Amino acid sequence: MASVEVSLKEMMASVEGAVGAAVVDYTSGMALGTLGGNKDLDLNIAAAGNTDVIRAKVRTMEQLGLQSEIEDILITLEGQYHLIRLVTGRNGNGLFLYLVLDKGRSNLAMARHQLKRVEEQLEV
């Protein structure tokens, strides 16, 4: 099992092209921890904003009567991927992993695989 700090370091170190990472509580919109980012990427603001994305998707799925669970959400920008992975299991209810990748230096499939691995080991 891994702490929030260890999980953030794992996301940044194991995913080529990682620019920033956060573990976020989507019930409050607060980041439990962040690593990376830059002057153009405030991870605390991104955490709060992506909370709204998750809430909207969950609400839409309920309205559609979909019984599936969200694995991840991908937002593709011109130069970046923003990957959101909901944490499942008894220790992660209400949390998500957030990873920003440089589009030109990253492998999206590998990033998704690594986030799944981090999610499985996260203990809060």
Side-chain angles (χ1 to χ4, degrees), residues 72-104:
D72 54 39
I73 297 170
L74 172 64
I75 299 169
T76 305
L77 304 179
E78 187 175 310
Q80 296 177 333
Y81 293 121
H82 291 233
L83 191 54
I84 301 166
R85 180 163 185 96
L86 274 67
V87 178
T88 58
R90 62 182 175 80
N91 293 322
N93 196 19
L95 301 179
F96 68 90
L97 303 176
Y98 175 60
L99 183 62
V100 178
L101 303 165
D102 179 307
K103 197 172 178 180

Side-chain angles (χ1 to χ4, degrees), residues 7-16 18-21 35-37 99-100:
S7 296
L8 289 168
K9 288 178 182 177
E10 180 70 18
M11 285 191 283
M12 291 296 290
S14 68
V15 179
E16 187 161 344
V19 175
L35 189 61
L99 183 62
V100 178

Side-chain angles (χ1 to χ4, degrees), residues 17-122:
V19 175
V23 177
V24 184
D25 176 348
Y26 69 81
T27 57
S28 69
M30 299 295 294
L32 302 180
T34 64
L35 189 61
N38 54 44
K39 66 177 180 64
D40 297 322
L41 177 62
D42 183 321
L43 290 167
N44 288 304
I45 293 173
N50 284 305
T51 295
D52 292 336
V53 170
I54 291 173
R55 289 178 184 160
K57 187 59 186 173
V58 167
R59 193 171 44 253
T60 301
M61 289 176 63
E62 287 171 355
Q63 291 172 344
L64 292 171
L66 298 175
Q67 300 302 313
S68 295
E69 291 192 15
I70 299 170
E71 288 183 17
D72 54 39
I73 297 170
L74 172 64
I75 299 169
T76 305
L77 304 179
E78 187 175 310
Q80 296 177 333
Y81 293 121
H82 291 233
L83 191 54
I84 301 166
R85 180 163 185 96
L86 274 67
V87 178
T88 58
R90 62 182 175 80
N91 293 322
N93 196 19
L95 301 179
F96 68 90
L97 303 176
Y98 175 60
L99 183 62
V100 178
L101 303 165
D102 179 307
K103 197 172 178 180
R105 297 185 309 121
S106 61
N107 179 321
L108 185 56
M110 284 303 297
R112 290 183 70 224
H113 175 74
Q114 291 290 9
L115 273 189
K116 183 175 194 253
R117 197 171 60 75
V118 169
E119 175 216 349
E120 291 168 347
Q121 295 175 3
L122 177 66

